[in-house]
Amino acid sequence: MAKLAIGVDLGGTDIKAGVVDDAGRILSRIKRPTEPERGRRAVIENIAEAAEAARTEADVPWRRIAGVGLGSPGVFEMPRGLVRNSPNIRCLEGHELRQPVQRALNRKGLTVTLDNDANVAAYAETWIGAGKEKQTLALFTLGTGIGGGLVLNGEVWRGAWGAAAELGHQIVRPDEPARASGTPGALEDVASATALVGSLKEAVKARKRTRLAKRVRAGEKITARDIFDAAKAGDALCLKLVNEAGKFLGIGVTNMLHILNVELAVFAGGMTAAGSILLKPIREEVRKRAFPLSRRHVKILFSKLGNDAGLIGAAGLALHTRAGRRGTR
Amino acid sequence: MAKLAIGVDLGGTDIKAGVVDDAGRILSRIKRPTEPERGRRAVIENIAEAAEAARTEADVPWRRIAGVGLGSPGVFEMPRGLVRNSPNIRCLEGHELRQPVQRALNRKGLTVTLDNDANVAAYAETWIGAGKEKQTLALFTLGTGIGGGLVLNGEVWRGAWGAAAELGHQIVRPDEPARASGTPGALEDVASATALVGSLKEAVKARKRTRLAKRVRAGEKITARDIFDAAKAGDALCLKLVNEAGKFLGIGVTNMLHILNVELAVFAGGMTAAGSILLKPIREEVRKRAFPLSRRHVKILFSKLGNDAGLIGAAGLALHTRAGRRGTR
C-alpha cells in the first residue's frame, strides 16, 4: 500500500491541508480559516483540525499516515524551530510551532515536520515538479514580497540557524535606501509585485504616459496583473517596467549560478501569471551575465505545481525525512 | 602512526607541495616552478615531481601516504574534472588534470583528489583554521581578482557542474559595463586589488588630492598595499577607496547570509595585509544590511592559515575524502 502523509500549508488567511501519497498525488484537499486574530492557541488548534479534516476527507485511518508536514511563512531558528519572524501571523512569533502542533494532534508516534513555505515548495518542485530529476535548485516566490527556497543535492538548505534562502534579500541596488523589505537594495524592493505597482505609480506621478494612468490617478487598486495585461496589450511604459523587474530577477538567477551553480531556477507565485513576458527578460539577463558553462546548462522555468507546491512539499518532507531517503539540513 | 597526505598548491608561477598529517601539521614544504610555457605535459610532470620531492623532504615512504590532494585555480567541470578555465595556466584548458597527474605519479592504489584552489583553502579554514568547529563557511580570496570557496555542512560545495563559489562574480553594481572579470557589475570589479588600484588612478586623473598622486602620474607601479599604507597614514582619498571596497565586500558577506546563512565569512589573500582598516567597513556594512539574527551570530574574520591554506586544504581533502569522514559534493 502507498505510504501517505498529510501536508499542511499555513497562510495568513487560510490553512490548506491534504493527504498526499508517495508519488506526490493529492488524495484530499481541504481549507480552514487560520484566524490569527484569535491568538496562538487557536491557530495551533486550527492546524491540527485541518490535518484531521484532510485525513477524514481522504477516508484513511491514522495508522496509514507516516507523518504530518507543515509549511509556514517566516523564519524559524533551528534546531529548536522557534518562530523568529512571521509577518502575517504575528501571534506565533517568539514561540515554538512544531511541538505544540504535534501535541495538539495527540497521536502517539506521529511526527510533525516544519519548514518555511518557500523551502517546502522548492522541495516539491524537485520531487515531482519543474525540477523533477534535478538535485540542485533555487526557487523564487514572486508575490507581495520575494521569498526563496534552496534544494542542494536533493536536500532543503536551511543554513546555520535557519535563515537561509531569503533570495529576495539579495542586494542588487546597493545605493537605494531601505524600503518595505528592510534590507537596503534588496531584490524584493525592485522586482516584487508591490515594487512593480510602486514603480507604476511613481511613473504616473512623473507624468509618464500609460493606459493605466487614469486608474492610478483615480486611486483605483492596481495589481501587478493589470501591469502585465497592459504590457501584453502594447503599453510601452508597462512593458518597460516588466522588463526592468525581469532584469533584476535575472541578476538574482545569475547570482545563484555564480554562488551555488544550481541546475535550475524556478519562479512561483502570483507574478508567474505574466507568462513569457516576464520569463523572457529574466533569461536574457542571465545570457548577458552568467558564465558560458552555466548559461548553457541552466534551466529557468515557472513552477509546475503552482498553489499545490506547499501542500505537496510539506507532505513530501514528512514522508522522506522519516524514511531517511531525503532529508533537510 | 599519524595518517599522512601530500598537499599540492598549483599556481601560475610556482607549485608548492608538502606532506601534511591528520592534525593538519605540515611536515615538509617544497617549491618548484610550474613552467606553463613548456606546455601541459611539463606542468603535469612538475606536479608529480613536486609531490615526490615533498615526500622525500619529509622522509616518509609512499606506503604511509594516504593520497595526494591538488588545489588549482580555475573551473573544473565535474564529475570528470575537465579544466574549463585556467587563466594563469592556459595549456591545461580543455583537458582533464586529475587522471594525468595520477598516472604521472604512477603509484598503484594512490588516488589524486582535485579541487579549485579557493575551495581547498575554504576547506582548510574549517578544518584547522579560522572556521575550526564551524560547519558552514564562505571564503573570499582577495587578490588580483576575487575568488571564493564554500563549505556547507562540513563539505566543499562545487555545484551542479563544478562552477560554484565564484563569490567575486556576485553582481553588486548592475549598471556597470563588463570589466576585467567579464561579469558586468561583479564584486571583483569594484573590490579586488586591481579594482582598488584602478579607482586610485581614475581619482588622480580627476585631480583628486592624495599623497600617491605624484607616483601615479610618474607611471610608477602602485599596489593595493600602497593604498592601505597611505590610508593608515591619514590619506583621506585612499581611506575613502578602502572604505568603498570594504562596503562592497560587506554586501558580498550579507548576500552569503541571506542566501546561505553561513556561520562565518573568512577573507584570505594579499589584501588582508590591510588589517582592520579593511575589516571595519566590511563589518559595518553587514551590520547595516543583514537580518538581526544573522548579524548577531555571524563571524567575519581573516584567514588563519594564510599562504598555507591551499597546501593544507588539498591534503585535508585527500585524507578525508578517502576516509569518508568528510567529502566533497
Side-chain angles (χ1 to χ4, degrees):
Chain A
M1 243 186 311
K3 282 185 57 186
L4 305 175
I6 297 172
V8 181
D9 180 1
L10 177 63
T13 310
D14 291 314
I15 301 166
K16 286 179 277 182
V19 172
V20 176
D21 73 11
D22 54 9
R25 278 179 299 238
I26 298 175
L27 308 187
S28 70
R29 193 198 310 256
I30 66 98
K31 201 156 104 172
R32 290 279 179 282
T34 309
E35 303 180 303
E37 69 285 356
R38 285 183 51 217
R40 195 174 138 264
R41 275 159 200 262
V43 171
I44 287 163
E45 208 45 60
N46 287 340
I47 294 169
E49 277 170 24
E52 169 64 30
R55 186 193 64 78
T56 312
E57 176 80 15
D59 196 19
V60 292
W62 270 111
R63 63 179 159 73
R64 287 202 55 208
I65 303 292
V68 174
L70 174 59
S72 165
V75 174
F76 309 102
E77 190 171 349
M78 296 297 165
R80 264 177 76 203
L82 196 73
V83 181
R84 295 297 310 206
N85 189 280
S86 180
N88 299 320
I89 319 175
R90 287 280 179 212
C91 59
L92 297 179
E93 290 182 353
H95 300 274
E96 288 185 38
L97 179 58
R98 200 191 67 77
Q99 276 285 0
V101 170
Q102 191 161 310
R103 270 197 299 271
L105 280 163
N106 195 25
R107 306 287 319 174
K108 216 181 145 188
L110 187 80
T111 304
V112 173
T113 311
L114 168 69
D115 214 325
N116 173 281
D117 53 353
N119 286 351
V120 304
Y123 187 77
E125 294 292 344
T126 55
W127 182 25
I128 57 155
K132 206 179 160 181
E133 315 294 323
K134 302 283 183 196
Q135 292 292 303
T136 296
L137 160 164
L139 174 89
F140 293 76
T141 59
L142 307 178
T144 316
I146 297 181
L150 288 174
V151 175
L152 305 182
N153 253 8
E155 296 177 12
V156 172
W157 178 258
R158 291 161 164 171
W161 41 88
E166 292 291 347
L167 305 187
H169 289 261
Q170 296 178 62
I171 294 157
V172 297
R173 279 248 135 135
D175 302 325
E176 295 286 305
R179 295 197 194 163
S181 78
T183 301
L187 176 62
E188 176 170 307
D189 292 325
V190 295
S192 66
T194 316
L196 197 56
V197 173
S199 301
L200 176 75
K201 287 181 179 167
E202 271 174 42
V204 169
K205 214 181 264 177
R207 312 214 143 263
K208 297 266 166 65
R209 285 179 60 176
T210 162
R211 66 185 67 190
L212 295 176
K214 214 189 257 179
R215 289 182 54 196
V216 171
R217 285 204 202 95
E220 274 182 50
K221 186 179 157 65
I222 303 279
T223 65
R225 185 74 183 245
D226 296 324
I227 297 171
F228 295 134
D229 287 344
K232 282 177 203 169
D235 188 285
L237 176 71
C238 287
L239 186 60
K240 195 178 149 240
L241 295 177
V242 175
N243 280 337
E244 185 77 358
K247 171 186 144 179
F248 281 103
L249 293 172
I251 288 173
V253 172
T254 306
N255 283 343
M256 293 303 103
L257 291 169
H258 290 169
I259 296 165
L260 287 169
N261 186 194
V262 297
E263 295 166 274
L264 177 73
V266 179
F267 289 91
M271 277 175 76
T272 59
S276 62
I277 205 172
L278 182 63
L279 207 49
K280 202 172 145 241
I282 296 175
R283 288 179 171 158
E284 265 170 21
E285 201 62 28
V286 172
R287 221 171 295 138
K288 272 186 217 160
R289 300 196 191 246
F291 297 157
L293 181 67
S294 295
R295 67 177 182 244
R296 211 165 42 236
H297 285 81
V298 69
K299 298 260 176 293
I300 302 172
L301 302 170
F302 283 152
S303 158
K304 222 175 131 179
L305 305 173
N307 288 333
D308 289 334
L311 198 154
I312 294 170
L317 274 177
L319 277 170
H320 301 148
T321 305
R322 267 185 79 86
R325 229 191 63 209
R326 281 175 154 198
T328 63
R329 30 199 278 152
Chain B
M1 240 186 313
K3 281 186 57 185
L4 305 175
I6 297 172
V8 180
D9 181 0
L10 177 63
T13 311
D14 291 313
I15 300 165
K16 287 180 276 182
V19 173
V20 175
D21 72 10
D22 54 8
R25 278 178 300 236
I26 298 175
L27 308 187
S28 69
R29 192 197 311 254
I30 64 98
K31 202 157 101 173
R32 290 279 179 282
T34 308
E35 304 179 302
E37 69 286 356
R38 286 184 50 217
R40 194 174 139 262
R41 275 159 200 263
V43 171
I44 285 163
E45 209 43 63
N46 286 340
I47 294 169
E49 278 171 22
E52 170 62 32
R55 187 193 63 78
T56 312
E57 176 81 15
D59 197 19
V60 291
W62 271 110
R63 63 180 159 72
R64 287 202 56 208
I65 303 294
V68 174
L70 174 59
S72 165
V75 174
F76 309 102
E77 191 172 348
M78 297 297 165
R80 264 176 75 202
L82 197 72
V83 182
R84 294 299 309 205
N85 189 280
S86 179
N88 299 320
I89 319 175
R90 288 279 178 210
C91 59
L92 297 179
E93 290 181 353
H95 299 274
E96 288 187 36
L97 180 58
R98 202 192 67 77
Q99 277 284 1
V101 170
Q102 191 162 308
R103 271 197 297 271
L105 281 163
N106 196 25
R107 306 287 318 176
K108 215 182 145 188
L110 187 80
T111 305
V112 173
T113 311
L114 168 69
D115 213 326
N116 173 280
D117 54 352
N119 285 352
V120 303
Y123 188 77
E125 294 292 344
T126 54
W127 183 24
I128 58 156
K132 208 178 157 182
E133 316 294 324
K134 302 283 182 197
Q135 293 292 305
T136 296
L137 160 164
L139 174 89
F140 294 76
T141 59
L142 307 178
T144 316
I146 297 181
L150 289 174
V151 176
L152 305 183
N153 254 6
E155 295 175 13
V156 172
W157 179 258
R158 290 163 165 170
W161 40 90
E166 294 290 348
L167 306 188
H169 289 261
Q170 295 177 63
I171 295 156
V172 297
R173 279 250 137 134
D175 301 326
E176 295 286 305
R179 297 198 192 162
S181 79
T183 301
L187 176 61
E188 176 171 306
D189 292 325
V190 295
S192 66
T194 316
L196 197 56
V197 172
S199 301
L200 177 75
K201 287 180 179 169
E202 271 174 42
V204 169
K205 215 180 264 176
R207 310 216 144 262
K208 297 266 166 66
R209 284 179 59 177
T210 162
R211 66 185 69 192
L212 295 176
K214 213 188 258 178
R215 289 182 53 197
V216 171
R217 282 201 206 97
E220 274 183 48
K221 186 180 156 63
I222 303 278
T223 65
R225 186 75 183 246
D226 296 324
I227 298 172
F228 295 134
D229 288 344
K232 283 178 203 168
D235 188 285
L237 175 70
C238 287
L239 187 59
K240 195 178 149 242
L241 295 176
V242 175
N243 279 337
E244 187 76 357
K247 171 186 143 179
F248 281 103
L249 293 172
I251 287 173
V253 172
T254 306
N255 282 343
M256 293 303 103
L257 291 169
H258 290 169
I259 297 166
L260 287 169
N261 186 194
V262 298
E263 296 167 273
L264 177 72
V266 180
F267 289 91
M271 276 176 76
T272 59
S276 62
I277 205 172
L278 182 63
L279 207 49
K280 202 171 145 243
I282 296 175
R283 287 178 170 158
E284 264 170 22
E285 201 63 26
V286 172
R287 221 171 295 137
K288 270 185 219 160
R289 299 196 192 246
F291 297 156
L293 181 68
S294 295
R295 66 177 182 245
R296 209 164 46 235
H297 285 82
V298 69
K299 299 261 176 292
I300 302 172
L301 302 170
F302 282 151
S303 158
K304 223 176 130 180
L305 305 173
N307 288 333
D308 289 333
L311 198 155
I312 293 170
L317 273 178
L319 277 171
H320 301 147
T321 305
R322 267 186 79 86
R325 230 191 62 209
R326 279 176 158 200
T328 62
R329 32 198 278 151

